[in-house]
């Protein structure tokens, strides 16, 4: 597709990506009101987010592999329909159990949209030029994350709309995008009638990851770290994931291609994406709760207070994307991004319920800059090492691990926050002369703070405000792992061609053959010589 047709198709793709991203951020500041009106608990608060991320994570590699086997355009249309119908269902939910279930279905569509948009862009644009378009993607992500909390807060505060419209609002936009893409997206699809989908691997991966995340959510609250439940869940997860690895190394069309994951740069990029996703999703998802419950702001005010985070993403992603396209170098921008991300979380780890909002905003801006410079560019590192026929599985693999990191981050940090909050509330209630196990028990289990006595409200707000700093300290430690991984990345130059020169046949046996053309092509560009001819 030429530049004009790419831009026409990109408009529909960006709308789809915008609605996928906003589906999480628009709910972030509204969640305290949503859970309060449905009489939910802190654990259910976490699961409204975790259910979407879990379903998205488990389904992402499957969608990525399906994109290598079947029509990318048809798969995208199916994903849009799933996402739209589930958004309607979320808006009509009558209790938290229904909302969590519908959010899980929405996660299936979200996982598909996230990876398919990247796969389709990779099928249209070479890695070097993709840096510029990744700037557009980063901008859309930033606008969605900026506009999401603002829009969610405004919708929640408007009496004649209410929080249900946080879900309904996606429907008209996804419908428009579906029509636009049907008319503007034209790809050369290669039919592979002999292809087989690795359902066994997909099921084992989803089951192993889900069991591990369930353990993270319930450990130390419903059962101890050293208990038969822990042994059963962790042991079962290890067995399932081990079986998944065994299956992926043997099947003809693996969901997660092990020959890609085992290479140095993709493996390091995946580790860095896992760390960045865990830190970013896990840390940022609780900011709305901090501003509303810990600081007493309205949903609209909480949305406005998150602008520094999203401004950092917008500015850094657009700038870094253009610089990557101009130079063909990607490692320096990723390294700078993960370092700034770590420093931002270290700054946020010092906050409590009385910290200056200027300092909180500075920490959020640093986190946003780090995310904008690193997240999409890590995808480029992986896509640059694989041929076009494997771009779906490779993109699905790194998106899977990034989503896995985000899901684990929300689960782990949510469990830590709930434990810290419960301890601080119990201590504060005892200081007021209230028995936490009697009349004050409800204070630690509900988020309907407005309906409580003023003295109890003060205890709860202080508990949430002070406990939030602990989860950002953990996020900083996780982000540091990403710094170490990025340090060992090869300083390669992005290729100019859409496909690898001399692309070998698809399959596991092509692993070694792919390495040589990448090295030769990179060396050729650095010395000014021509790349080897294709075919």
């Amino acid at each position: 597709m030429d530049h004009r047709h790419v831009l026409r198709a990109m408009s529909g793709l960006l709308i789809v990506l915008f609605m996928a991203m906003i589906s999480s951020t628009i709910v972030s500041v509204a969640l305290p009101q949503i859970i309060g009106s449905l009489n939910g608990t802190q654990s259910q608060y976490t699961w409204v987010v975790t259910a979407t991320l879990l379903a998205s994570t488990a389904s992402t590699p499957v969608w990525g592999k399906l994109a290598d086997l079947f029509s990318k355009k048809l798969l995208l249309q199916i994903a849009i329909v799933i996402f739209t119908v589930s958004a309607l269902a979320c808006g009509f939910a009558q209790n938290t159990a229904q909302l969590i279930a519908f959010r899980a279905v929405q996660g299936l569509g979200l996982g598909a949209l996230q990876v398919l948009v990247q796969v389709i862009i990779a099928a249209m644009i070479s890695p070097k030029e993709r840096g510029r378009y990744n700037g557009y993607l980063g901008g859309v992500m930033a606008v969605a994350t900026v506009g999401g909390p603002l829009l969610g807060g405004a919708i929640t505060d408007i009496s004649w709309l209410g929080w249900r419209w946080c879900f309904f609002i996606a429907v008209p936009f996804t419908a428009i995008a579906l029509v636009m893409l049907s008319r503007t997206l034209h790809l050369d699809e290669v039919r592979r009638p002999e292809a087989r989908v690795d359902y066994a691997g997909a099921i084992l991966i989803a089951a192993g990851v889900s069991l591990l995340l369930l353990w993270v959510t319930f450990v130390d609250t419903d059962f101890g770290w050293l208990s038969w439940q822990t042994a059963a869940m962790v042991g079962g997860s290890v067995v399932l994931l081990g079986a998944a690895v065994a299956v992926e190394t043997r099947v003809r069309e693996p969901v997660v291609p092990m020959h890609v994951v085992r290479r140095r740069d993709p493996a390091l990029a995946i580790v860095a994406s896992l760390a960045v996703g865990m830190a970013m999703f896990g840390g940022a998802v609780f900011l709305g709760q901090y501003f509303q419950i810990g600081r007493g702001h309205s949903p609209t005010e909480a949305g406005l207070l998150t602008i520094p985070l999203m401004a950092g993403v917008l500015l850094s992603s657009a700038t870094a994307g253009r610089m990557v396209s101009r130079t063909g170098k990607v490692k320096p921008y990723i390294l700078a991004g993960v370092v700034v991300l770590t420093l931002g979380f270290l700054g946020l780890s010092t906050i409590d319920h009385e910290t200056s909002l200027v300092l909180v905003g500075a920490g959020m801006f640093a986190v946003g800059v780090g995310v904008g410079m690193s997240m999409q560019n890590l995808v480029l590192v992986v896509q640059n090492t694989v041929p076009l026929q494997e771009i779906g599985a490779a993109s699905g693999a790194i998106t899977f691990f990034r989503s896995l990191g985000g899901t684990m981050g929300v689960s782990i940090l949510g469990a830590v926050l709930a434990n810290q909050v419960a301890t601080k509330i119990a201590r504060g209630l005892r200081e007021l002369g209230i028995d936490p196990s009697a009349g004050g028990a409800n204070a630690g289990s509900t988020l309907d703070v407005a309906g409580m006595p003023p003295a109890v409200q003060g205890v709860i707000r202080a508990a949430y405000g002070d406990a939030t700093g602990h989860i950002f300290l953990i996020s900083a430690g996780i982000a540091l792992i990403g710094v170490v991984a990025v340090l060992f990345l090869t300083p390669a130059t992005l290729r100019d061609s859409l496909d690898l020169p001399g692309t070998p046949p698809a399959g596991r046996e092509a692993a070694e053959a792919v390495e040589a053309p990448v090295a030769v092509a990179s060396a050729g560009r650095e010395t000014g010589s021509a790349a080897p001819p294709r075919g």
Side-chain angles (χ1 to χ4, degrees):
M1 297 174 65
D2 59 35
H3 182 66
R4 182 172 64 88
H5 288 92
V6 166
L7 288 180
R8 290 180 59 192
M10 280 286 290
S11 59
L13 292 173
L14 292 179
I15 291 175
V16 166
L17 183 64
F18 178 81
M19 298 318 304
M21 295 299 299
I22 209 174
S23 67
S24 298
T25 60
I26 198 173
V27 175
S28 60
V29 297
L31 264 181
Q33 278 66 36
I34 295 173
I35 300 301
S37 67
L38 297 178
N39 296 317
T41 64
Q42 173 63 41
S43 177
Q44 291 171 324
Y45 180 103
T46 302
W47 267 101
V48 171
V49 180
T50 304
T52 306
L53 290 175
L54 178 59
S56 172
T57 301
S59 63
T60 291
V62 180
W63 289 108
K65 187 60 186 179
L66 290 175
D68 285 336
L69 305 180
F70 305 109
S71 169
K72 299 174 180 61
K73 181 176 179 178
L74 178 61
L75 289 172
L76 183 65
Q77 291 170 326
I78 293 172
I80 293 174
V81 171
I82 294 173
F83 182 84
T84 304
V85 172
S86 59
L88 277 172
C90 288
F92 287 114
Q94 298 301 307
N95 53 57
T96 50
Q98 290 181 9
L99 180 60
I100 291 170
F102 294 144
R103 288 281 288 174
V105 178
Q106 191 176 32
L108 296 176
L110 176 61
L113 295 178
Q114 284 180 325
V115 68
L116 290 175
V117 167
Q118 295 185 75
V119 170
I120 289 172
I121 290 175
M124 298 188 297
I125 308 162
S126 69
K128 185 176 180 181
E129 284 300 310
R130 211 174 298 154
R132 178 175 60 173
Y133 292 96
N134 277 347
Y136 298 154
L137 295 181
V140 166
M141 291 171 62
V143 172
T145 329
V146 170
L150 291 173
L151 188 59
I155 289 174
T156 304
D157 285 340
I158 296 175
S159 59
W160 51 274
L161 286 178
W163 61 263
R164 296 184 185 276
W165 276 93
C166 291
F167 301 104
F168 293 150
I169 196 170
V171 176
F173 291 97
T174 51
I176 292 171
L178 183 62
V179 174
M180 290 177 61
L181 289 169
S182 298
R183 301 181 60 182
T184 61
L185 184 59
H186 305 289
L187 299 174
D188 292 330
E189 303 288 357
V190 179
R191 300 293 179 180
R192 297 173 59 189
E194 79 287 354
R196 296 291 182 270
V197 180
D198 176 24
Y199 294 109
I203 292 172
L204 287 171
I205 292 172
V209 171
S210 300
L211 189 58
L212 183 63
L213 292 174
L214 287 171
W215 171 74
V216 169
T217 302
F218 296 117
V219 71
D220 204 32
T221 53
D222 295 320
F223 51 83
W225 292 89
L226 298 177
S227 62
W228 69 266
Q229 292 97 332
T230 293
M233 297 179 79
V234 175
S237 179
V238 170
V239 170
L240 288 169
L241 293 176
V245 172
V247 169
E248 297 302 273
T249 57
R250 288 173 172 80
V251 296
R252 179 182 176 185
E253 300 281 358
V255 172
V256 178
M258 300 306 293
H259 66 271
V260 172
V261 175
R262 281 196 296 260
R263 295 184 204 140
R264 174 180 168 176
D265 283 349
L268 290 171
I270 284 171
V271 171
S273 290
L274 187 69
V276 171
M278 185 179 294
M280 194 276 290
F281 284 108
V285 76
F286 297 105
L287 279 171
Q289 192 176 31
Y290 167 77
F291 285 125
Q292 290 181 70
I293 299 181
R295 304 301 295 263
H297 293 286
S298 69
T300 302
E301 292 170 339
L304 289 169
L305 288 169
T306 60
I307 286 180
L309 175 68
M310 312 320 159
V313 177
L314 177 61
L315 294 173
S316 63
S317 62
T319 303
R322 290 191 173 274
M323 293 302 295
V324 166
S325 287
R326 182 178 302 171
T327 64
K329 305 291 185 181
V330 68
K331 179 179 176 179
Y333 304 101
I334 299 176
L335 182 58
V338 290
V339 169
V340 173
L341 177 68
T342 305
L343 294 176
F345 277 127
L346 282 175
L348 289 176
S349 68
T350 63
I351 67 174
D352 56 27
H353 69 288
E354 295 179 337
T355 302
S356 167
L357 292 179
V358 175
L359 296 178
V360 177
M364 288 192 298
F365 181 78
V367 170
V369 169
V371 170
M373 295 183 71
S374 59
M375 184 165 287
Q376 284 302 117
N377 287 326
L378 284 167
V379 177
L380 268 183
V381 170
V382 175
Q383 290 179 340
N384 191 57
T385 65
V386 298
L388 187 60
Q389 62 195 7
E390 292 184 353
I391 203 76
S395 301
I398 191 167
T399 306
F400 163 72
F401 284 104
R402 185 177 68 195
S403 299
L404 174 62
T407 309
M408 292 180 66
V410 172
S411 298
I412 293 171
L413 298 182
V416 171
L417 180 65
N419 185 273
Q420 290 279 332
V421 165
T423 302
K424 293 179 184 297
I425 288 178
R427 185 187 306 125
L429 291 177
R430 280 194 292 267
E431 292 174 357
L432 292 176
I434 301 174
D435 184 3
S437 62
N442 186 55
S445 61
T446 180
L447 298 182
D448 187 15
V449 182
M452 297 178 183
V456 177
Q457 285 187 32
V459 170
I460 294 176
R461 295 195 189 283
Y464 274 93
D466 297 346
T468 304
H470 292 277
I471 65 174
F472 287 126
L473 182 60
I474 297 173
S475 296
I478 296 169
L480 189 60
I481 298 173
V483 175
V484 175
V486 173
L487 281 172
F488 289 97
L489 281 175
T490 303
T493 302
L494 299 178
R495 68 176 189 259
D496 296 313
S497 59
L498 192 62
D499 205 351
L500 280 175
T503 301
R508 192 178 24 161
E509 61 277 3
E512 295 80 11
V514 174
E515 298 279 3
V518 176
V520 172
S522 297
R525 279 190 299 274
E526 291 172 1
T527 59
S529 58
R534 292 187 57 186

